[in-house]
Amino acid sequence: MGQRSFNRYLALLRIIFGNPLTRYMLRGLARDIDGRPALEKMLARYSGEQVDLPISCRIDSYILGVLMKTGSILFGADEEQAKEYLRDPAVRRGFTLIFKGLYMYGPTVPQRLPAPFLIVWNFTNMCNLRCMHCYQNAGKPSPDELTLDEKLRAVDMLDRAGVAAIAFSGGEPLIHPDFPTVAREASSRGIYIAVATNGIALSNYDYAKKIRRCGVRYLEISLDSPIPSEHDRFRGLDGAWEKTVRGIKNAVKAGFTTAVATTISKFNKDCVEDMVRLADELGVNKIIFFNFIPVGRGKDIIDLDLDPLEREEVIRELFRLNRKYSVEVLTTAPQYSRISLQLSSGREVSPTHFYVGGDPGIEALADFIGGCGAGRIYAALQPNGDVSPCVFMPIVVGNLRRDDFIKIWRETPLFNRLRDRDILKGFCGRCIYRYVCGGCRARAYSYYGDELEVDPGCIYNLHEWNRIKRRILRGIEVPA
């Protein structure tokens, strides 16, 4: 309930910041003190923490309190629950990003942000599996990987930018010796720490407890089939399923927020409910079905990609299963937003792949944060410091060894194009759902070499998919 109250406050902020005069009056909330946003300290004080504020901030802090109380009245939110939610430093960082985005840019659709909520950090290229679909083509560590000192400097740069969360991925981040040190440093700065992992390292319960002590809060563990032999074949290692399932059980036991991550393709589309049932039995918080995107080794199995009819059927099934089981059922396919609206007659929406439901605050935010977040609410960081809009979109736009991250985020032409849904090509640019969906930009890039092209996985672009399929059958490579 605290999160719902929090989202209602965000909806109120959007209304308030639609007025330029109000934005001007609240400019004090957006300033920095000693290199950190003053608003973070004000929110900590509002939540009940003992925080000393400079005299110059006390009036602004009072205004903030009035705003929050007004929000609780207008939106029927529970102010005490919102305060409890804001005691989390990572939540305060996220709230501050939205506030500063509204102050700097006004309300935009989708909302522009001064820094990303999330960095997906491919921490290393080393891996203990050989997955058929690996976007990173992981195996051995790359020779130009950031040193430990450079990784810690990267954490400092992301912290100063205001990034709210880091999701460590790979390769396999949990087998890299630098991981505990870097995770502990990032967590100590109030950044939310997540890990995307194959779970094998977590089959050792003592190691699971160790990374818990390092500040890791969320684990997303890959499992691609309820059938052990099928998972092992897809992941390239006999016995992988058994170790991964043991790792999932250990993650739940150790108190992590835990998700099962399943890449959906023709390989496993017929056992979707079996996967949801297994996730439910394992006691995880959620199961997320990832879009298959033909990048990295995935290019070699492009024929496993779902066609638009199959994807539509699977996503509709996921919406049904989300109601049937206690585990939360989600997907990274941005079409989930459109389908959830259609199947619920407009009562429920999935603005991003972390929620489906009918909360009024989140409904109000659907076109505010919704759809594909590449270059908009998140960015990717490679093992050598390269920055790209998404791990599935390997377009390098800068490198943290030589470039300032804020400059990359705010000034990169590619990122700014991805923030404008009105310039999307084809039907994606005309679709009435483009603000809550917008199509997967990585899929557009994979198939067309153009991040603004249509997402050929959408039912509304079936004719485009058929054209691509004819090219593949004729032996013509994509992108076209």
Side-chain angles (χ1 to χ4, degrees), residues 140-330:
K140 296 180 180 179
S142 50
D144 59 347
E145 191 174 285
L146 297 175
T147 65
L148 177 56
D149 284 344
E150 287 174 326
K151 289 169 185 169
L152 294 174
R153 284 199 294 273
V155 168
D156 182 66
M157 192 179 296
L158 298 177
D159 174 34
R160 287 186 284 107
V163 170
I166 296 175
F168 292 97
S169 188
E172 176 49 53
L174 295 186
I175 65 174
H176 197 287
D178 289 348
F179 174 76
T181 301
V182 178
R184 190 181 299 111
E185 176 63 24
S187 176
S188 72
R189 294 169 179 251
I191 298 173
Y192 187 93
I193 305 301
V195 177
T197 171
N198 59 41
I200 290 178
L202 300 169
S203 61
N204 180 330
Y205 184 60
D206 288 338
Y207 185 74
K209 290 191 294 184
K210 176 182 177 179
I211 65 166
R212 177 81 172 160
R213 292 192 297 270
C214 291
V216 177
R217 297 169 60 177
Y218 175 87
L219 291 173
E220 195 169 85
I221 303 172
S222 297
L223 191 68
D224 288 307
S225 175
I227 304 168
S229 60
E230 289 295 292
H231 174 83
D232 292 355
R233 180 168 67 87
F234 199 63
R235 293 280 166 172
L237 179 70
D238 290 341
W241 190 93
E242 181 181 351
K243 292 178 180 179
T244 294
V245 168
R246 191 184 314 140
I248 293 169
K249 291 178 179 178
N250 285 341
V252 173
K253 180 180 176 182
F256 293 96
T257 300
T258 309
V260 166
T262 301
T263 298
I264 190 71
S265 67
K266 293 181 189 295
F267 168 80
N268 56 6
K269 71 179 180 64
D270 295 325
C271 56
V272 165
E273 183 162 7
D274 291 336
M275 278 301 308
V276 173
R277 185 183 300 112
L278 175 59
D280 202 36
E281 291 170 354
L282 290 171
V284 300
N285 302 88
K286 60 184 74 175
I287 178 169
I288 304 174
F289 289 86
F290 275 72
N291 245 346
F292 169 77
I293 299 171
V295 65
R297 287 200 290 270
K299 291 179 181 179
D300 299 331
I301 54 170
I302 193 170
D303 56 311
L304 291 183
D305 197 4
L306 299 179
D307 66 41
L309 295 171
E310 290 170 326
R311 180 171 280 100
E312 187 82 1
E313 182 181 353
V314 166
I315 296 176
R316 286 173 174 264
E317 175 74 353
L318 296 180
F319 183 84
R320 183 184 70 81
L321 295 173
N322 191 54
R323 295 179 166 189
K324 181 177 179 180
Y325 290 89
S326 58
V327 65
E328 192 171 10
V329 182
L330 302 169

Side-chain angles (χ1 to χ4, degrees), residues 8-9 52 56 64 92 108 122 188 217 252 276 320 323 419 448 455 466 468:
R8 288 168 178 153
Y9 285 117
D52 289 328
S56 60
L64 176 66
R92 294 199 294 267
T108 61
N122 286 336
S188 72
R217 297 169 60 177
V252 173
V276 173
R320 183 184 70 81
R323 295 179 166 189
R419 295 162 191 165
Y448 295 97
D455 177 351
N466 290 334
I468 288 170

Side-chain angles (χ1 to χ4, degrees), residues 68-81:
M68 302 299 277
K69 188 171 290 292
T70 302
S72 67
I73 295 170
L74 293 180
F75 283 81
D78 187 318
E79 188 179 11
E80 290 306 312
Q81 288 179 338

Side-chain angles (χ1 to χ4, degrees), residues 112-125:
R112 293 176 64 91
L113 298 173
F117 281 118
L118 171 68
I119 290 293
V120 180
W121 187 344
N122 286 336
F123 195 68
T124 180
N125 227 43

